[in-house]
Amino acid sequence: MENTKKKYRKKTNKKEQAKETLVVRDILKEETVAFLDTEFLTSQRKGGAPSKLVSIGFVICRKDFKEVDRFHSYIYMDDELHNRFREVTGITEEDLLNAPEYEMVMEEAAQRMAIWNVTRIFVWGPDQTVIQRDLQAYRGDISKRARKSVNRMIRMIKDIEGIYSKKLKIHNIGIANLKLLCGLGSEVSHDALDDSIDLKEVVRYLDTKGCPDYMVQAMKTYLSDKELYCRYRRFHEKWDEVPENLLEKSKELLLELEKINSMEAKALRDDIHVICTGKDTIFPTPEEYLEQELL
């Protein structure tokens, strides 16, 4: 008699994780929510101090994304701002020196949310982590009441970037590109209130209208091409005293690279061009790229 081995299905106690199907529009039918954004000062050194909160803004909405309240405030700080921060946000030392203290700002924010019975706070990105680490690192002298209010807000915060990115099947897409995708322009002011309004408008559009497949695909291609191009770019300045024979050879190589339709070839071509001529090339803006792709 032949020996036969029975195959047993391996048992497992692991439960499948429920997929997040959060839709803000549906939540707004029963609840009041806030869309929140922050501005924060980051360290210029790798592994430096945690980011420090300098501004908070939010809009409170009810059914059909109807706004019922807005809030914005800078937060007092006497640290020196680095140039990159000033350039991106437009915030100055004077703005922060004349701003209310942290405790006053956060208690008012919490009070506004309590008045309107806000049950959830939606963000796009690391705002929850920034607020939490800022509280732990810099706010040791605030009252227990204020700390309790901030912790309550932190517990209500939900980062919806991953959820909507999965719906679009696009990873690492920022609000600027989302606005463009939704036909809402592409400018981002890096002002906490303006950015929270942009977040609300983007989510409203995605929930009520959705994006055409061809636009989503074009944006995915743009982000993929840009990532690949930036990965292979190495040089952005002219080399000193490039030998004449190398300049001649570079012309031939540039002509050959023009025939190759790939981001790697484009990156190499632009590197050679700036090394020899000093004329640098930047990757097209999303608007320029999409306009060309959709012609």
Side-chain angles (χ1 to χ4, degrees):
M1 181 181 293
E2 293 183 357
N3 291 328
T4 58
K5 293 183 179 179
K6 292 183 179 180
K7 293 183 178 180
Y8 294 94
R9 186 174 293 178
K10 190 175 181 181
K11 293 183 180 181
T12 178
N13 292 324
K14 292 182 179 179
K15 294 181 180 180
E16 291 186 8
Q17 292 183 350
K19 293 182 178 179
E20 290 184 287
T21 57
L22 180 150
V23 178
V24 174
R25 178 183 58 179
D26 293 340
I27 292 170
L28 280 168
K29 293 175 183 177
E30 304 292 338
E31 303 177 35
T32 302
V33 308
F35 295 89
L36 178 144
D37 188 75
T38 61
E39 298 301 331
F40 43 88
L41 182 66
T42 57
S43 173
Q44 291 292 84
R45 296 182 294 104
K46 188 175 181 180
S51 299
K52 196 166 189 177
L53 195 66
V54 299
S55 176
I56 184 170
F58 57 79
V59 291
I60 297 176
C61 297
R62 284 180 168 174
K63 190 175 180 180
D64 296 326
F65 294 89
K66 181 182 177 181
E67 287 187 30
V68 294
D69 200 4
R70 293 183 176 187
F71 176 80
H72 174 267
S73 180
Y74 295 127
I75 296 170
Y76 175 82
M77 187 182 72
D78 57 3
D79 297 356
E80 184 179 355
L81 305 178
H82 53 75
N83 291 335
R84 178 61 178 161
F85 179 85
R86 292 194 204 92
E87 178 186 339
V88 171
T89 67
I91 297 173
T92 66
E93 280 90 350
E94 186 178 2
D95 292 327
L96 302 182
L97 287 171
N98 292 326
E101 295 283 350
Y102 171 88
E103 185 166 344
M104 183 183 299
V105 173
M106 300 307 280
E107 283 197 330
E108 183 178 352
Q111 185 178 30
R112 294 281 190 98
M113 293 195 183
I115 289 171
W116 292 106
N117 194 28
V118 171
T119 55
R120 309 190 197 207
I121 303 170
F122 297 121
V123 300
W124 190 279
D127 302 82
Q128 183 182 36
T129 301
V130 168
I131 295 173
Q132 192 166 27
R133 290 180 178 173
D134 172 271
L135 178 65
Q136 295 168 350
Y138 305 113
R139 315 302 173 181
D141 58 345
I142 66 170
S143 68
K144 289 183 178 180
R145 185 182 66 181
R147 186 174 297 276
K148 186 176 180 180
S149 296
V150 177
N151 279 320
R152 188 183 304 116
M153 286 174 56
I154 290 171
R155 288 193 296 272
M156 287 195 292
I157 292 176
K158 175 67 178 178
D159 180 8
I160 56 176
E161 179 179 1
I163 295 169
Y164 280 88
S165 293
K166 285 180 181 177
K167 289 180 182 179
L168 293 170
K169 298 181 180 178
I170 302 178
H171 298 293
N172 299 321
I173 183 169
I175 292 296
N177 287 338
L178 269 175
K179 286 182 66 178
L180 181 61
L181 199 59
C182 297
L184 301 172
S186 62
E187 292 297 322
V188 175
S189 66
H190 294 287
D191 170 87
L193 178 57
D194 288 346
D195 290 352
S196 68
I197 295 169
D198 282 343
L199 174 58
K200 184 262 293 185
E201 289 300 323
V202 162
V203 171
R204 181 180 65 83
Y205 188 96
L206 293 174
D207 280 0
T208 59
K209 298 180 180 180
C211 296
D213 289 341
Y214 71 90
M215 283 292 291
V216 174
Q217 187 56 50
M219 180 60 74
K220 287 171 69 175
T221 303
Y222 167 77
L223 293 172
S224 175
D225 283 353
K226 183 179 180 181
E227 191 277 331
L228 196 60
Y229 173 84
C230 292
R231 188 195 310 169
Y232 282 92
R233 275 301 303 268
R234 292 291 181 272
F235 305 102
H236 296 277
E237 295 180 353
K238 186 179 184 301
W239 286 9
D240 295 331
E241 300 178 357
V242 179
E244 192 64 34
N245 63 333
L246 184 57
L247 288 174
E248 289 301 318
K249 290 180 180 179
S250 70
K251 292 177 183 178
E252 299 176 9
L253 182 55
L254 287 171
L255 290 174
E256 292 299 317
L257 288 171
E258 286 284 355
K259 303 173 185 177
I260 304 174
N261 185 26
S262 73
M263 287 299 111
E264 296 92 334
K266 178 175 173 54
L268 178 57
R269 187 171 69 242
D270 291 346
D271 272 346
I272 295 172
H273 192 257
V274 72
I275 286 170
C276 296
T277 69
K279 295 179 181 179
D280 198 10
T281 304
I282 61 172
F283 199 76
T285 64
E287 296 94 329
E288 294 168 342
Y289 186 94
L290 293 181
E291 183 179 355
Q292 185 176 358
E293 284 290 309
L294 299 175
L295 284 178

